[in-house]
């Protein structure tokens, strides 16, 4: 296989291959493979970590952690772990992206990988250092189970019970009258991620079905959503940092997917996603999700009642960086930032006199998963930030945005 360029965008856990070169070879490589078993059904427990699906995969009496990601066009395995599998080298590619080290990766075919007792044979994958995943998940992931493997079977995602079910045929699952059947569409390339039609108010889009998006329910680039954004000029949240492009959050009056019409849904318009438009786990987790890739059908059955979305958040948005062991400022409300000029890289030193400097990775994880949930219920917070070597004292307040 000749050299091909690959773009990996992991911030929302989705990666896409450039279609510029050798699409025929990429299609053959991504679509190859099958299951050893012809008649099967299995249940696989998963960990649900910050709205991401993480699987334990056994290989050579060792346990490895892989993300289950329908938005990844192929599986990814860290080179250290790849050595545990029998593979066939298919060539190499150049890889680049905002959160990884640019360089070359290997295309391979994995002769056998076992998930839930099912043998997936000769599926395409790339070998790439997964070190960048530690920043998001606190622990380095060993790989990603992507579309090149997932499409060899029918899957059901039971978020409520944290179970994946996998079968050879859609008939192994009970699809009743309370289940919504939605058509999916494969891209012109003939492989990779599948899209569903999503109508936001009166404008229709194609959004990727992406279980690797744990950050947002629905997210797309502001340029793609500019018409809808104009309709919400007085009812949207504008977010940026100094010298950074502006992102937006708003509540769409209606979102239609299949025959379902959902009211008051939060939509995120973020520059970081590039040209991607993604449906993620924060939407899907309200449903029992069954996916029949062979026939391009997505089935959704409501598993819990949910209130209409609201936007009630602080003037600053944070996220933990488990590599640096710091709580970072991710975004700021535009008018607040115009006044205080918060820059990318600003670090939270304390919240309400709770010292967050010098934390271990485990302490940061515990703060984010426990204490932060309680702090979010308050209407204001007292902060000390560190920016350009200087400490800044701030009070932030909660903002409420109505549809």
């Amino acid at each position: 296989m000749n050299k091909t360029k690959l773009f990996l965008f992991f911030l929302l856990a989705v990666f896409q291959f450039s279609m510029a070169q050798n699409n025929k070879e990429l299609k053959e490589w991504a679509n190859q493979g099958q299951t050893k078993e012809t008649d099967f059904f299995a249940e696989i427990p998963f960990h649900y970590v910050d709205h991401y699906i993480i699987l334990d995969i056994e290989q050579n009496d060792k346990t490895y952690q892989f993300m289950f990601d329908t938005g990844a066009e192929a599986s990814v395995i860290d080179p250290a772990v790849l050595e545990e599998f029998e593979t066939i080298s298919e060539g190499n590619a150049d890889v680049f992206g905002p959160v990884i080290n640019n360089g070359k990766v290997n295309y391979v075919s994995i002769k056998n990988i076992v998930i839930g007792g099912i043998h997936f044979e000769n599926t395409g994958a790339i070998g790439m250092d997964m070190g960048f995943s530690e920043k998001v998940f606190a622990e380095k992931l060993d790989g990603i189970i992507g579309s090149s493997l997932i499409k060899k079977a029918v899957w059901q995602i039971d978020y409520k019970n944290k179970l994946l079910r996998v079968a050879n045929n859609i008939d192994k699952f009970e699809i009743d009258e309370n289940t919504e059947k939605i058509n999916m569409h494969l891209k012109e390339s003939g492989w990779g991620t599948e899209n569903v039609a999503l109508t936001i108010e009166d404008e229709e889009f194609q959004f990727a079905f992406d279980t690797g998006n744990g950050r947002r329910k629905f997210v797309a680039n502001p340029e793609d959503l500019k018409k809808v954004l104009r309709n919400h000029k007085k009812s949207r949240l504008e977010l940026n940092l100094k010298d950074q492009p502006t992102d937006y959050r708003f509540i769409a009056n209606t979102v239609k997917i299949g025959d379902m019409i959902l009211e008051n849904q939060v939509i995120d318009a973020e520059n970081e996603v590039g040209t991607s438009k993604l449906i993620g786990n924060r939407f899907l987790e309200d449903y029992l999700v069954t996916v029949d890739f062979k026939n391009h059908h997505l089935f959704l059955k409501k598993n819990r009642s949910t209130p209409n979305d609201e936007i009630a958040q602080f003037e600053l948005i944070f996220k933990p960086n488990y590599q640096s062991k710091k709580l970072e400022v991710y975004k700021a409300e535009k008018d607040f930032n115009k006044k205080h000029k918060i820059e990318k890289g600003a670090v939270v030193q304390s919240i309400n006199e709770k010292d967050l400097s010098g934390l271990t990775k485990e302490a940061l994880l515990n703060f984010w998963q426990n204490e932060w949930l309680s702090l979010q219920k308050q209407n204001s917070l007292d902060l000390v930030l560190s920016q350009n070597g200087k400490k800044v004292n701030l009070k932030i307040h909660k903002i409420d945005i109505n549809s």
Side-chain angles (χ1 to χ4, degrees):
M1 186 176 288
N2 296 327
K3 291 182 181 180
T4 308
K5 283 196 172 181
L6 166 69
F7 173 72
L8 175 60
F9 181 81
F10 193 77
L11 194 61
L12 290 169
V14 59
F15 74 85
Q16 299 175 326
F17 291 84
S18 168
M19 295 295 102
Q21 307 173 45
N22 307 317
N23 183 59
K24 182 179 179 181
E25 291 180 352
L26 283 172
K27 180 179 178 180
E28 292 174 354
W29 169 78
N31 288 338
Q32 70 185 24
Q34 64 284 317
T35 57
K36 179 181 179 181
E37 297 80 6
T38 57
D39 186 16
F40 58 88
F41 177 88
E43 289 190 332
I44 308 156
F46 64 79
H47 311 283
Y48 201 45
V49 181
D50 201 17
H51 301 273
Y52 292 92
I53 298 170
I54 308 296
L55 303 179
D56 291 331
I57 292 180
E58 304 288 334
Q59 180 69 16
N60 296 335
D61 298 321
K62 299 175 184 176
T63 301
Y64 299 103
Q65 290 198 317
F66 282 66
M67 178 190 294
F68 184 82
D69 185 0
T70 59
E73 295 184 326
S75 297
V76 180
I77 303 181
D78 189 88
V81 178
L82 194 60
E83 295 176 357
E84 299 288 336
F85 295 87
E86 188 176 358
T87 63
I88 299 172
S89 178
E90 302 283 1
N92 57 58
D94 297 315
V95 66
F96 57 97
V99 293
I100 61 172
N101 295 321
N102 295 352
K104 294 188 182 302
V105 297
N106 295 322
Y107 283 92
V108 300
S109 296
I110 303 175
K111 286 195 173 181
N112 184 48
I113 182 169
V114 182
I115 303 176
I118 310 303
H119 297 74
F120 292 84
E121 299 179 329
N122 300 317
T123 58
I126 63 171
M128 189 181 70
D129 184 358
M130 291 289 297
F132 58 89
S133 62
E134 182 182 358
K135 180 178 180 179
V136 179
F137 296 102
E139 299 293 338
K140 176 181 175 181
L141 295 181
D142 297 300
I144 299 170
I145 298 300
S147 289
S148 57
L149 182 147
I150 293 171
K151 288 192 170 185
K152 306 304 182 287
V154 180
W155 299 83
Q156 186 173 81
I157 309 170
D158 185 343
Y159 291 91
K160 183 178 180 180
N161 295 302
K162 296 183 177 62
L163 284 174
L164 274 178
R165 302 183 181 95
V166 57
N168 62 296
N169 194 292
I170 189 66
D171 294 336
K172 297 289 178 71
F173 300 101
E174 181 180 347
I175 308 296
D176 61 26
E177 67 275 5
N178 296 316
T179 303
E180 184 72 23
K181 179 180 176 181
I182 298 164
N183 293 323
M184 299 192 297
H185 310 281
L186 192 58
K187 297 178 298 185
E188 291 183 7
S189 61
W191 63 281
T193 307
E194 305 244 354
N195 295 328
V196 299
L198 193 77
T199 302
I200 301 175
E201 296 174 350
D202 295 324
E203 192 167 3
E204 182 175 309
F205 305 89
Q206 292 294 320
F207 271 62
F209 166 62
D210 182 14
T211 61
N213 168 20
R215 297 295 183 190
R216 304 285 180 251
K217 293 177 71 170
F218 309 104
V219 61
N221 192 284
E223 186 65 24
D224 293 324
L225 297 175
K226 59 184 180 182
K227 181 179 177 181
V228 183
L229 281 168
R230 281 198 298 268
N231 296 336
H232 289 267
K233 193 170 183 178
K234 295 183 179 180
S235 59
R236 69 191 187 193
L237 189 61
E238 301 186 11
L239 303 160
N240 65 7
L241 292 175
K242 184 180 178 183
D243 300 324
Q244 298 294 310
T246 300
D247 295 336
Y248 305 88
R249 299 197 86 195
F250 66 96
I251 297 177
N253 298 322
T254 58
V255 171
K256 182 181 179 183
I257 177 170
D259 291 329
M260 295 191 305
I261 299 178
L262 311 171
E263 296 182 344
N264 299 328
Q265 297 293 302
V266 170
I267 309 292
D268 285 275
E270 299 185 348
N271 290 274
E272 287 179 323
V273 300
T275 59
S276 299
K277 293 180 281 291
L278 311 172
I279 296 174
N281 289 325
R282 288 177 183 262
F283 167 72
L284 298 168
E285 65 192 18
D286 290 338
Y287 298 87
L288 178 66
V289 177
T290 309
V291 196
D292 181 0
F293 287 106
K294 181 179 178 181
N295 295 300
H296 307 288
H297 291 147
L298 173 66
F299 299 90
L300 301 178
K301 181 178 180 179
K302 194 77 170 177
N303 64 21
R304 63 183 183 184
S305 59
T306 52
N308 291 337
D309 285 347
E310 296 179 349
I311 296 178
Q313 63 186 58
F314 292 110
E315 293 157 316
L316 293 181
I317 300 174
F318 313 109
K319 67 176 181 179
N321 181 333
Y322 295 109
Q323 282 182 324
S324 66
K325 306 180 186 67
K326 298 180 187 301
L327 185 65
E328 299 176 343
V329 178
Y330 178 46
K331 293 176 184 174
E333 191 277 325
K334 189 174 181 180
D335 290 336
F336 181 88
N337 199 50
K338 189 181 295 184
K339 178 180 178 181
H340 296 286
K341 298 179 173 55
I342 308 299
E343 298 183 14
K344 185 176 182 179
V347 172
V348 182
Q349 296 290 313
S350 70
I351 300 180
N352 288 358
E353 299 185 350
K354 163 75 175 179
D355 186 7
L356 299 178
S357 62
L359 294 181
T360 64
K361 182 168 63 176
E362 291 72 22
L364 177 59
L365 181 63
N366 180 66
F367 169 80
W368 188 249
Q369 293 184 342
N370 297 292
E371 294 177 70
W372 176 241
L373 296 179
S374 297
L375 288 170
Q376 283 182 295
K377 298 176 183 178
Q378 300 188 24
N379 291 320
S380 65
L381 299 173
D382 293 310
L383 306 179
V384 178
L385 302 184
S386 175
Q387 178 172 276
N388 296 326
K390 297 180 181 179
K391 288 189 176 181
V392 181
N393 294 281
L394 291 174
K395 179 182 283 288
I396 60 174
H397 300 85
K398 190 164 284 184
I399 307 168
D400 289 313
I401 302 292
N402 298 315
S403 60

